[in-house]
Amino acid sequence: MKKIFLAICFLFLNFTFSQITINGIVKSEANIPLQYVNIGIKNKNIGTISDEKGNFSINIDNTRINELLTFSYLGFEEKTVRIEDIIKLKSQEIILKEKIIQIEEVLIISKKASELKIGTKSYSSMVAGYVRANNDKNNDIQEFAKKIKLKKPSVLLDVNINLFNVKTDTANFRINIYNIENDLPNEKINIENIIVKKKVENGWNKFDLQNFNLKYNVPIFITIEYLPKKMDEEEPFRYSGQLFGESITRSSSLGIWNSKSGLTMALYVTVKQ
C-alpha cells in the first residue's frame, strides 16, 4: 500500500511540474521576421529572445498556462497574449504592429563642445560579471545597467566595456537607453534598436554610437545585453567590474531589476557637451 501511495505522489508531482514548450516566430505586419525580440512573463524572470530569423522557443511550467506572455521590441507596440491562447493557435506566429514615433525636441550643443568620459573607467581583477542567464532552460539574456549622470545637453559618442577571459572572436550586443524611475531603469527611450556585431578582445571594447543621434540632458541608464548565439553555448567572456559602487542587473527578458551595493560594472560612455 505504501509503494502505491508513493507512486501516486510521484505521478502527481510530475504532472504538477511538467513543462510546456512554445515554439513560434515573431514578425512585423510586413511579414518581416524580427530578431532579438524580448519575450517573457513580466517581472517573473521567465523569458527568452527570438533568434536572427525571428524564431523563438520557451519552456514554461504548465501551472502558468493562464499567465500573459509579453513581446517587446523597440519601434513596435508591445503585445501581450495569454499563454493558453498561444498554444491553441494553429500557427504560432506573433505579429507586432509598428509604433508611430514622435520626434523629441532638438537639443542644442555648443560649438565649443568638449568630450567627457562618464562612468567607471577602471576595473579590478577580483570582480567578474557572468554573461549567461538561465540559458540552461531558455535562450535568454542578462542585462547590465549603468547610471550616466548627465546634467546638461549631451551627445553620446560611444560606450566602452571591459571584458576578460574572452573565448570568442565576435559577439552580438544590444545597447539600450532607459529613463529613470525609483532609481532603476524604467522605459527605453532610444528610438531605434542598437544591435552591434563586434570583434571582442580582452580589455576595453568600444561601441561607436555616433550614427544613432543619441542626445539627452538628464540622467539616464545605459544597458548592455549580450545576445547568445545558441542555447547552452560555452561562456564567451566575462564582464569586468570594480569594487564599491552599485550593480544593477536583470537575469531575464522583461524580468525584475535587481540592485546590489559593493560592486559595479566597468563601463563608461564618452559624451560631447
Side-chain angles (χ1 to χ4, degrees), residues 7-19 62:
I8 292 172
C9 288
F10 178 74
L11 288 172
F12 176 76
L13 287 171
N14 272 312
F15 174 78
T16 302
F17 295 104
S18 65
Q19 291 189 332
N62 64 1

Side-chain angles (χ1 to χ4, degrees), residues 233-249:
E233 68 181 7
E234 181 184 7
E235 186 180 50
F237 57 82
R238 292 185 182 178
Y239 295 113
S240 300
Q242 184 57 280
L243 298 170
F244 309 109
E246 185 179 24
S247 172
I248 297 176
T249 63

